[in-house]
Amino acid sequence: MEALLTSRAVPVQVPCRKLSSLSDDLSCLELRRYPCRRGGVSIMSHPRLVRLVTASVQPQRVSALGHQGNTAPSKEILDLWGNVEAVCFDVDSTVCVDEGIDELAEFCGAGKAVAEWTARAMGGSVPFEEALAARLSLFKPSLSKVDEYLEKTPPRLSPGIEELVKKLRDNKIDVYLISGGFRQMINPVASILGIPRENIFANNLLFGNSGEFVGFDEKEPTSRSGGKAKAVQHIRKGSSYKTMVMIGDGATDLEARIPGGGDLFICYAGVQLREAVAAQADWLIFNFEPLINSLD
């Protein structure tokens, strides 16, 4: 991570705090079966648009935190943002106000233990793939349990994200969702925001013939540390984008700011403020208004 430090880094002496919790109700699933060595594997997706719940999160304010520095971007940063051609968003605690795996674990009765692993993974203290496997092993969600959770839990979008994505799309700027979460939970979010499925890079839960949990697709780049960076590099390699930006809250999002990947990392701390990540961001924001206004 040391290689990612920039001259704009400003230490943040503020503890991480979560500002929201989840509520209820989603839509439907489409169940597809794929072969694997252990038997049939089922992967769920959402074919239809789901009902949206607008989050009532009040983003943290700089004045309340006493944090300065990279909240005031340089002209160079503003120019890069103003000329961006593709924007990659993290989903959990960025596009949405919740950490999807934490909420699913809570629903399955293992919320506290899983949330502790999530904090370690997003802070960068353990490899992401280790944390992902450890979290899932704590509650091993079955297909029926995931089905029940999704039926009862609609996505809760962060305030301002719909306006920002709409403005980006109106300006002919491509938008991607790159997440260490699961497609089962992200597909409905993409539908709400008008983001095509091919612009989603995320993990898949895998289930056996009887609906039992058998793991996650380890071939997905986002299933391991450095995976988001690889996803952004893959996008850039297959396109003619001159400027790409990664927006997120965690260490895996910060990793995407590498040669051939993201040119900027914008840390969104409207839900979670992760001290070590915020300190290394090119631009630290607590709501999406600065990004929206800078596109005018």
Side-chain angles (χ1 to χ4, degrees):
M1 296 295 289
E2 289 80 8
L4 296 173
L5 289 170
T6 74
S7 60
R8 291 178 289 278
V10 177
V12 185
Q13 302 298 324
V14 183
C16 170
R17 36 177 116 161
K18 186 168 183 178
L19 301 182
S20 64
S21 60
L22 196 64
S23 62
D24 327 55
D25 270 342
L26 217 155
S27 86
C28 58
L29 305 169
E30 176 183 291
L31 178 60
R32 299 177 181 176
R33 295 193 179 273
Y34 298 88
C36 78
R37 286 177 295 182
R38 302 191 211 182
V41 172
S42 303
I43 299 178
M44 291 184 300
S45 62
H46 295 262
R48 301 200 298 272
L49 183 68
V50 300
R51 181 171 67 82
L52 167 67
V53 171
T54 302
S56 58
V57 171
Q58 295 299 316
Q60 302 180 39
R61 299 290 178 181
V62 176
S63 58
L65 295 168
H67 181 75
Q68 301 295 329
N70 54 358
T71 56
S74 66
K75 183 180 183 302
E76 176 190 4
I77 297 300
L78 289 173
D79 286 345
L80 283 169
W81 172 248
N83 292 291
V84 67
E85 296 180 351
V87 178
C88 302
F89 287 95
D90 172 44
V91 177
D92 294 341
S93 295
T94 301
V95 170
C96 295
V97 300
D98 305 298
E99 288 288 335
I101 192 171
D102 291 1
E103 301 303 329
L104 178 59
E106 180 70 31
F107 187 81
C108 296
K112 182 177 179 181
V114 170
E116 290 173 355
W117 270 102
T118 297
R120 293 169 66 186
M122 294 301 99
S125 61
V126 295
F128 182 80
E129 60 271 27
E130 179 183 333
L132 180 59
R135 286 179 288 176
L136 288 171
S137 71
L138 289 171
F139 65 108
K140 297 179 180 178
S142 65
L143 176 59
S144 61
K145 203 67 178 178
V146 174
D147 187 349
E148 182 184 358
Y149 169 80
L150 291 170
E151 289 290 341
K152 294 180 178 180
T153 312
R156 298 207 308 151
L157 301 186
S158 293
I161 189 63
E162 286 184 276
E163 183 182 353
L164 174 56
V165 171
K166 182 180 184 303
K167 192 153 194 178
L168 290 169
R169 295 176 65 227
D170 287 347
N171 288 357
K172 309 302 182 186
I173 298 167
D174 292 334
V175 178
Y176 295 84
L177 298 179
I178 302 181
S179 175
F182 304 109
R183 291 180 185 271
Q184 288 87 350
M185 301 175 185
I186 294 169
N187 287 341
V189 176
S191 295
I192 292 166
L193 297 175
I195 298 171
R197 295 288 176 89
E198 59 267 25
N199 286 16
I200 300 173
F201 291 78
N203 294 315
N204 265 317
L205 291 172
L206 303 179
F207 305 94
N209 288 329
S210 300
E212 74 278 13
F213 171 76
V214 298
F216 58 93
D217 188 352
E218 296 180 7
K219 294 180 181 178
E220 293 284 357
T222 51
S223 69
R224 50 193 177 273
S225 293
K228 288 186 180 180
K230 285 184 171 59
V232 175
Q233 286 179 318
H234 173 79
I235 294 167
R236 191 158 197 167
K237 188 175 181 180
S239 69
S240 58
Y241 300 135
K242 295 179 180 178
T243 307
M244 291 186 69
V245 171
M246 182 74 203
I247 301 176
D249 70 295
T252 56
D253 306 310
L254 174 61
E255 290 175 343
R257 187 188 61 196
I258 58 173
D263 297 288
L264 294 179
F265 169 61
I266 298 175
C267 179
Y268 174 70
V271 178
Q272 295 274 5
L273 175 59
R274 306 187 195 279
E275 180 179 337
V277 177
Q280 298 179 65
D282 296 296
W283 190 356
L284 173 62
I285 60 172
F286 294 85
N287 59 67
F288 292 116
E289 289 179 19
L291 302 185
I292 295 169
N293 295 337
S294 298
L295 291 170
D296 289 332

